[in-house]
Amino acid sequence: MIMLDSIGERSTNAANSEQSNTSNHTNASSSTNTQSSTNASSSTNSQSSTKTQSSTNASEMYRLFVGIQLPQDVQRVLDIWKDSIQKVLPFQKWTHPQDVHVTLSFLGDASAETAEALAADLRQLAAAALPLTLHAEGLGVFGPPAAPSILWAGLAGDLDALAALQREVAGVCARHGFPAEARAYRPHLTLARRYRTAAGPFKRSALAAAGAPAGGWPAWRVEDIVLYRSHLGRQPAYEPLNVLPFGEPST
């Protein structure tokens, strides 16, 4: 009896051990499956998130224009001069020094892919262009005579070369779906916007009273063009997306 009890006990213990092993195996298998399922779900979510982010970036719209940037020393000259003429010319919003530029072609809204393709063609155009020289000269206004909307500085220098460059840029932009403007090209530097009517009706004599920067109107050498992105409500508002250098003249 003792031997039978011992054998029965050993048999019972073995069965319990087997049941325990089976349970552990089942739990381990369940844990592995759960972990695998969790990892797979996490991977799927991660891939989905990446695809969503990529899709969002691809669909992002840029507000674009092509222009000529001013060197920093010219920006400083105009900025110092601006501070001295604001009482004579009381406009509400003065252009940030880094935003003063010569517009070549305003484009409007476009996708990131279009901007990239346009930049590639503009780079080829710029590589075939030669440097030119410009300088600011004189003041003028756009808008109603008594309350003009824009205060600008005129340009002088290689204006024929500038006009030819502008036509080439407009042609490249047209091939990417941006039609050329119907109005004649009038290059200038926008200095300020919205005349303060509280100061009384605008008088053109104020333009002469403003004079010129100390040392005369600044000149600079143009050696590249820029594809800009415009950001509303930000200062400076214009972000250079691509600076496209001119090729050197052949010798």
Side-chain angles (χ1 to χ4, degrees):
M1 291 293 295
I2 295 174
M3 291 180 63
L4 288 175
D5 288 345
S6 178
I7 294 172
E9 184 178 354
R10 286 199 298 270
S11 176
T12 301
N13 289 341
N16 289 339
S17 176
E18 181 178 355
Q19 182 178 0
S20 176
N21 290 339
T22 301
S23 175
N24 289 339
H25 178 73
T26 301
N27 291 340
S29 176
S30 174
S31 175
T32 300
N33 291 339
T34 301
Q35 183 176 1
S36 176
S37 175
T38 302
N39 291 341
S41 176
S42 176
S43 176
T44 300
N45 291 338
S46 177
Q47 291 178 7
S48 176
S49 175
T50 301
K51 289 180 180 178
T52 301
Q53 183 177 0
S54 177
S55 176
T56 301
N57 292 339
S59 63
E60 186 178 6
M61 299 299 288
Y62 292 174
R63 190 168 179 81
L64 304 174
F65 68 92
V66 184
I68 294 172
Q69 61 184 343
L70 273 59
Q72 290 185 356
D73 58 338
V74 175
Q75 293 175 10
R76 284 193 295 270
V77 169
L78 294 178
D79 192 42
I80 293 171
W81 176 62
K82 172 198 73 178
D83 292 339
S84 69
I85 65 172
Q86 290 189 31
K87 290 183 179 179
V88 179
L89 295 168
F91 280 75
Q92 294 181 38
K93 183 179 180 182
W94 289 78
T95 306
H96 189 284
Q98 294 179 31
D99 285 342
V100 179
H101 66 277
V102 182
T103 299
L104 293 173
S105 185
F106 175 76
L107 307 178
D109 292 337
S111 67
E113 290 87 352
T114 298
E116 185 176 354
L118 175 61
D121 283 354
L122 288 173
R123 188 177 301 279
Q124 291 185 0
L125 182 155
L130 299 179
L132 56 105
T133 300
L134 296 175
H135 63 88
E137 185 174 86
L139 293 174
V141 292
F142 294 141
S149 55
I150 301 290
L151 171 68
W152 50 264
L155 291 172
D158 296 331
L159 296 185
D160 289 343
L162 176 62
L165 175 65
Q166 190 276 331
R167 288 192 296 270
E168 292 179 357
V169 168
V172 169
C173 293
R175 295 201 297 271
H176 288 268
F178 303 104
E181 294 188 57
R183 59 186 176 183
Y185 180 58
R186 298 179 62 181
H188 60 277
L189 305 174
T190 297
L191 301 179
R193 301 176 186 274
R194 298 193 298 275
Y195 176 75
R196 294 183 183 275
T197 54
F202 177 78
K203 297 180 180 179
R204 293 194 65 85
S205 59
L207 299 177
W217 292 102
W220 69 97
R221 182 177 168 88
V222 178
E223 298 181 325
D224 53 49
I225 57 177
V226 180
L227 178 61
Y228 285 98
R229 180 183 182 183
S230 178
H231 297 271
L232 298 178
R234 199 174 87 174
Q235 293 293 326
Y238 306 141
E239 172 192 0
L241 289 180
N242 300 92
V243 177
L244 312 164
F246 290 170
E248 292 299 324
S250 57
T251 57

